[in-house]
Amino acid sequence: MTANIWAAIENTPSKKLEALFDEDAQRVDGMTISQSGLRFDFSKTHLDAGLLLAFAELAKAMDLDGAREKLFTGAVVNPTEGRAATHVAERGNGSADDVAQAKALQNRMRGLIDVIEAGAFGEIKHILHIGIGGSALGPKLLIDALGRDGLRFDTKVVSNVDATALAEAVKDMDPKATLVAVASKTFTTTETLMNAESALEWMREGGVEDPYGQLIALTAAPEKAMEWGVDQNRILPFAESVGGRYSLWCSIGFPVAAALGWGAFEELLEGAAEMDRHFRSAPLAANAPVMAAFADLYYAQVRKCQTRAVFAYDERLRLLPDYLQQLEMESNGKSVTADGAPLGRASAPVTWGGVGTDAQHAVFQLLHQGTHTIPVEFIASKTPGHDFDPAHHETLLINCFAQGAALMRGRDSADKARSYAGDRPSTTILMDDVTPSAVGALIAFYEHRTFANAVLLGINPFDQFGVELGKEIARGIAENGPDGFDPSTSALIAAAGL
Ligand code: F6P
């Protein structure tokens, strides 16, 4: 049914970006959406009236409206696991039951933070948050982005099973003044449990008599946490229907709420809630996540772009590309549709990126002159995150805007080594400031864009079976050593003396 629509999208004559501006004096206004302190400029993409009409047809055929309503009403949107996806309820935008449950669990988290502050865990100065993937990336991003003016607790996030990370994190921590938060949706993740065991050992060696008394669990599997030894009263549960990579809004966000304060956490939730409402109700061409998804699909499907690049022109958002890699690639890196049929087209592109201006002096050569077309996303803030000479911030923004202009404009030269093809697409997200509410809105924008991409492709974005095989083989190696694997793997295991 969608084959005709895709054919129409593919056959829509493509115009050069500069021609699109020439033929429509209002293009910037028409292709810019302002929402929740964020200005989304899609005008330097190849989307035009013809493509927007064709994508609107696709949205209709794939029932984007219906899928959105399912998401916001707590219906099953993750068919392979038979689950709803209730991260929106954490922001107050789900079914009444889901919202009530989310609020009750958030209140429990708030209560625990109050109790910690009141000294029930001793004099806590440090929080050691242990988790991986969705149980680490969100808290890490938020603390780095929003905690630069000071944190109420010195907070470190440890994810890698390489204990070099743990050693580095605890180097300046006093074990007697440390609260360990073990974050794992399933409470079965090898890396997290191994790091948690070692953290307990570190506390014991540091003279803490009852290390479990300084440990809390953030999980959707409280019974597993209890089996592991965590006291029921020190568990902050969350709903099974909140996906791991969508979980910073619930108790996985504990270190954020504790270190930045409850007020900041609420602002974060409210920023995301505003973006939820926008995504749910704005018409397609005025809907930031939907427009972004249309552009994503155009480049991945029609222009066959295999990657998209995200550059944060703000040091506070330097971890955003890492966060987005999991959100976008774990959600939409699939080869089958939600029904298990072959997808038959490209899935999500590879998400990668870095920070401006550093990336300009490292990878931008390829963006400007390489043979690949790579849609670029620039994210910047009008307001700086420092009190140094404003010239720094002006230079940062000037560079950000110059790169987008250069990608589009290009330049011909008799010397081909000095020629730039131009007509290379970019989007720019200009934030008023990097505040909790704006960052909440920004992350929710990316969540909904990922969801819209999935719906339009027919993918289930909420499972991640692709990570299981490697885990299974790792267990096999741990149990059986080198026997029973391919010759290369067996030789590596033997060479490492495992
Ligand atoms: O292996 C992938 C994954 O399941 C992610 O989806 C998840 O965010 C991460 O591992 C951590 O899982 P958990 O929170 O259950 O420890």
Side-chain angles (χ1 to χ4, degrees), residues 48-357:
D48 63 2
L51 280 170
L52 288 178
L53 269 180
F55 274 113
E57 282 299 307
L58 181 69
K60 204 162 147 197
M62 297 304 289
D63 193 19
L64 179 60
D65 281 354
R68 253 186 329 201
E69 277 320 286
K70 278 186 171 176
L71 178 72
F72 283 105
T73 53
V76 171
V77 287
N78 175 358
T80 53
E81 296 178 302
R83 283 209 284 258
T86 57
H87 48 286
V88 289
E90 300 292 328
R91 287 107 65 151
N93 286 324
S95 74
D97 283 354
D98 289 337
V99 171
Q101 190 195 5
K103 286 282 161 244
L105 294 175
Q106 284 168 358
N107 283 338
R108 188 181 155 96
M109 162 156 70
R110 186 181 187 170
L112 189 79
I113 293 171
D114 289 345
V115 163
I116 293 165
E117 280 176 347
F121 287 70
E123 204 203 321
I124 297 298
K125 291 193 197 129
H126 318 279
I127 294 176
L128 177 61
H129 178 96
I130 296 176
I132 198 164
S135 294
L137 289 161
K140 210 168 167 174
L141 164 67
L142 291 171
I143 287 164
D144 192 56
L146 301 170
R148 286 165 182 258
D149 292 335
L151 294 170
R152 289 142 51 102
F153 300 95
D154 164 48
T155 304
K156 298 278 177 341
V157 177
V158 171
S159 49
N160 198 345
V161 77
D162 180 345
T164 310
L166 180 61
E168 169 77 22
V170 300
K171 195 170 63 189
D172 298 322
M173 285 186 174
D174 169 3
K176 291 186 177 155
T178 301
L179 179 82
V180 175
V182 184
S184 175
K185 180 176 175 185
T186 56
F187 228 81
T188 58
T189 302
T190 309
E191 294 91 330
T192 299
L193 296 183
M194 197 174 269
N195 277 329
E197 290 285 5
S198 295
L200 284 172
E201 194 48 38
W202 165 75
M203 285 203 277
R204 267 183 218 112
E205 283 170 8
V208 178
E209 274 173 27
D210 174 20
Y212 282 97
Q214 282 174 225
L215 181 140
I216 66 169
L218 321 172
T219 185
E223 69 299 338
K224 291 248 166 48
M226 283 190 275
E227 270 166 39
W228 191 81
V230 189
D231 187 293
Q232 190 169 11
N233 295 321
R234 288 193 278 271
I235 297 176
L236 293 178
F238 63 93
E240 178 71 32
S241 49
V242 176
R245 54 193 170 275
Y246 300 84
S247 64
L248 64 87
W249 320 100
C250 58
S251 64
I252 295 296
F254 163 81
V256 180
L260 299 177
W262 193 258
F265 191 67
E266 275 188 331
E267 282 173 35
L268 180 87
L269 295 176
E270 186 42 38
E274 261 193 44
M275 186 56 73
D276 288 339
R277 294 189 283 270
H278 167 76
F279 175 58
R280 193 175 184 180
S281 62
L284 299 185
N287 191 310
V290 172
M291 284 288 281
F294 287 170
D296 290 342
L297 290 170
Y298 176 71
Y299 291 115
Q301 307 299 325
V302 180
R303 301 274 180 125
K304 312 291 181 209
C305 301
Q306 294 190 345
T307 80
R308 82 178 200 92
V310 180
F311 296 101
Y313 272 71
D314 198 294
E315 192 69 16
R316 291 168 290 183
L317 296 174
R318 64 186 171 169
L319 298 181
L320 186 65
D322 291 5
Y323 177 82
L324 293 179
Q325 284 190 321
Q326 190 207 20
L327 176 65
E328 299 184 356
M329 292 162 74
E330 195 167 84
S331 295
N332 289 345
K334 315 268 166 78
S335 300
V336 294
T337 65
D339 304 329
L343 186 59
R345 51 178 56 259
S347 68
V350 173
T351 306
W352 63 282
V355 284
T357 54

